[in-house]
Amino acid sequence: MSVPVIDIRNVHRIYESAAGYTHALRGITLRVERGEFLCIMGPSGSGKSTLMNLLGCLDTPTSGTYKLEGLDISTLDDDELAELRATRLGFVFQSFNLLPRATVLRNVILPLTYTDVPPAERRKRAEEALAAVGLPAGFFDHRSNELSGGQMQRVAIARALVNDPAVVLADEPTGNLDSATGQMVLRTFKRLSEEGKTVVLITHDPEVADWADRTVHIRDGRLLTDEQEQEILATGMRGRT
């Protein structure tokens, strides 16, 4: 069998504060294959953002194992984790997180400035990433604050792609977009997965989840089986009748 891009086994995440302990993730096991478009769906407080932080190596498990492309991240120090985030992971956020006065091209080049990629190659990669998300070349020299919401999200996706990451992690990427523009962005993710890029997206919106190849549901820090999810949905429907 091929090595999965993401392989999480029995992961727990416990936070300690003055108020006591919070068990945010409870025994999560998840495998994501190369080229898969996965949606993680759950309500607020379900643990989906904590799980996304772990997948993005922004946090580490209290217990359990997480392997990215077969590499156990528990063996890495802070500098190695930072390099992993810069080279093997791409991030797309609800709020875009672009530099407003920088040009589109500059925003996409930015992640490459922390690498040894030569300047000419940086520009070439940025232009290729922007072309991959369907943004016309006429916009490359525009400042990002001159773009529409959908155009800004395309730039953010291009920035996530510029280092050719193993995984693109998208956190509610359509949350600030109207429905038509959101569908345009989701079509971009779908096409990227069809071209072999692994995409993991978190949302609370079932219409967004419908675009994914597979959806996993998380509640109270646990991934639910299909049967458990159906029972929760059925219980909710009975409660409204």
Side-chain angles (χ1 to χ4, degrees), residues 12-240:
H12 291 255
R13 185 63 176 101
I14 301 171
Y15 296 103
E16 183 179 2
S17 68
Y21 292 93
T22 300
H23 206 152
L25 296 179
R26 301 170 180 264
I28 298 287
T29 294
L30 179 65
R31 178 185 173 110
V32 185
E33 303 297 339
R34 191 171 305 278
E36 187 173 5
F37 185 178
L38 175 75
C39 178
I40 301 171
M41 188 174 176
S44 297
S46 61
K48 64 182 186 295
S49 293
T50 300
L51 179 55
M52 183 65 88
N53 286 339
L54 290 179
L55 293 176
C57 298
L58 299 169
D59 196 4
T60 54
T62 303
S63 63
T65 61
Y66 170 26
K67 292 183 179 180
L68 179 66
E69 296 185 297
L71 177 64
D72 187 344
I73 67 161
S74 68
T75 65
L76 306 181
D77 61 26
D78 288 346
D79 288 342
E80 290 168 330
L81 285 172
E83 182 178 359
L84 192 69
R85 288 192 296 269
T87 59
R88 304 309 299 146
L89 297 166
F91 298 89
V92 180
F93 304 97
Q94 178 178 344
S95 56
F96 317 132
N97 287 4
L98 300 177
L99 298 176
R101 295 185 179 277
T103 66
V104 165
L105 202 59
R106 177 60 183 163
N107 269 284
V108 178
I109 287 173
L110 187 61
L112 294 174
T113 61
Y114 305 105
T115 71
D116 58 1
V117 176
E121 178 67 15
R122 294 175 191 174
R123 184 182 180 91
K124 177 174 179 291
R125 288 193 191 182
E127 290 174 347
E128 289 173 347
L130 287 162
V133 299
L135 192 71
F139 288 94
F140 291 4
D141 290 328
H142 285 216
R143 293 180 179 179
S144 64
N145 60 6
E146 298 172 341
L147 305 180
S148 68
Q151 290 167 339
M152 284 193 285
Q153 196 58 293
R154 287 192 183 197
V155 175
I157 296 170
R159 181 185 57 192
L161 293 174
V162 75
N163 271 331
D164 190 25
V167 183
V168 175
L169 301 171
D171 188 353
E172 300 282 8
T174 62
N176 285 337
L177 305 175
D178 61 70
S179 57
T181 305
Q183 288 192 8
M184 175 186 67
V185 168
L186 290 167
R187 280 195 295 272
T188 301
F189 284 124
K190 188 70 172 178
R191 180 172 51 78
L192 290 170
S193 73
E194 291 170 350
E195 294 172 355
K197 188 64 64 181
T198 304
V199 178
V200 178
L201 182 153
I202 67 169
T203 187
H204 64 277
D205 187 343
E207 292 186 5
V208 172
D210 285 343
W211 286 81
D213 301 327
R214 177 167 63 109
T215 299
V216 296
H217 298 266
I218 185 169
R219 285 180 183 267
D220 300 322
R222 294 184 174 91
L223 290 185
L224 304 183
T225 64
D226 290 340
E227 292 77 10
Q228 289 171 322
E229 181 65 20
Q230 290 302 315
E231 177 60 27
I232 288 174
L233 292 174
T235 301
M237 293 179 65
R238 287 196 296 269
R240 292 193 294 270

